[in-house]
Amino acid sequence: TGITFLGGIKSIARVTSKLVPIMGVIYVITGLVGIAMNGDQLRHAINLIINGAFSPNAALGGVLGVMIVGFQRAAFSNEAGVGSAAIAHAAVKTDRPVTEGLVSLYEPFIDTVVVCTITALVIVITGSLESSAGVQGIPLTSKAFASAGSWLLYVLTVAALVFAFSTIMSWSY
């Protein structure tokens, strides 16, 4: 991390522009494998997610949750509203700034819609949500991936380490 950081923004961009897409693709493929390995539970999982999202408890909790916990998680998950992502995008040298704007629009979509949906489906499909007893975050995700297939936990670990490494580099900038 130190060597990359000492190389400046170009070095950070060169490293993260290779690591982050690879990490994202590996995570998505691993999640889809986990879903496929438990494909018979997919319909149940989607119904559970939709019913949970539109229940009276969800409406009540959503008001408070979106305002407090939701914003915290969104800021951590995809830097939405924090400003650090905008700093990195502003440092890009390009002849077509619109393309950089599009890239910055895709980031929250890919993270929030694609990656989080796949994660939720793996957690629900494997039954880890019901048997979690208050476990949240990475421990819950790890439990779900491990129950989908023991080797999937190792892939998740590598993805989490690459995410942490790329986050350290971008935050240090």
Side-chain angles (χ1 to χ4, degrees):
T1 302
I3 292 169
T4 303
F5 180 66
L6 290 174
I9 187 63
K10 288 183 181 181
S11 177
I12 293 169
R14 187 173 43 254
V15 171
T16 56
S17 68
K18 289 176 179 57
L19 286 179
V20 173
I22 291 169
M23 170 197 61
V25 168
I26 288 172
Y27 186 87
V28 167
I29 289 172
T30 304
L32 291 174
V33 167
I35 292 168
M37 292 173 74
N38 296 281
D40 58 325
Q41 296 294 318
L42 184 59
R43 183 174 296 210
H44 170 69
I46 292 172
N47 285 336
L48 189 64
I49 290 169
I50 290 172
N51 290 337
F54 296 104
S55 71
N57 285 341
L60 181 61
V63 172
L64 202 60
V66 165
M67 293 175 62
I68 299 169
V69 177
F71 289 143
Q72 291 171 348
R73 287 187 178 174
F76 176 75
S77 178
N78 59 35
E79 306 284 320
V82 175
S84 56
I87 293 168
H89 287 294
V92 172
K93 305 265 190 254
T94 180
D95 294 332
R96 299 182 60 199
V98 170
T99 59
E100 192 61 28
L102 290 173
V103 168
S104 69
L105 287 171
Y106 295 145
E107 289 171 359
F109 173 79
I110 290 170
D111 176 63
T112 306
V113 175
V114 176
V115 173
C116 290
T117 299
I118 288 172
T119 303
L121 286 172
V122 171
I123 289 170
V124 173
I125 282 174
T126 59
S128 298
L129 184 63
E130 290 84 20
S131 65
S132 65
V135 177
Q136 296 179 356
I138 279 282
L140 176 60
T141 307
S142 299
K143 179 181 177 182
F145 272 72
S147 66
S150 61
W151 62 274
L152 294 176
L153 180 59
Y154 298 108
V155 179
L156 174 67
T157 302
V158 169
L161 288 172
V162 172
F163 171 75
F165 179 69
S166 61
T167 301
I168 288 169
M169 284 193 295
S170 62
W171 271 86
S172 65
Y173 174 71

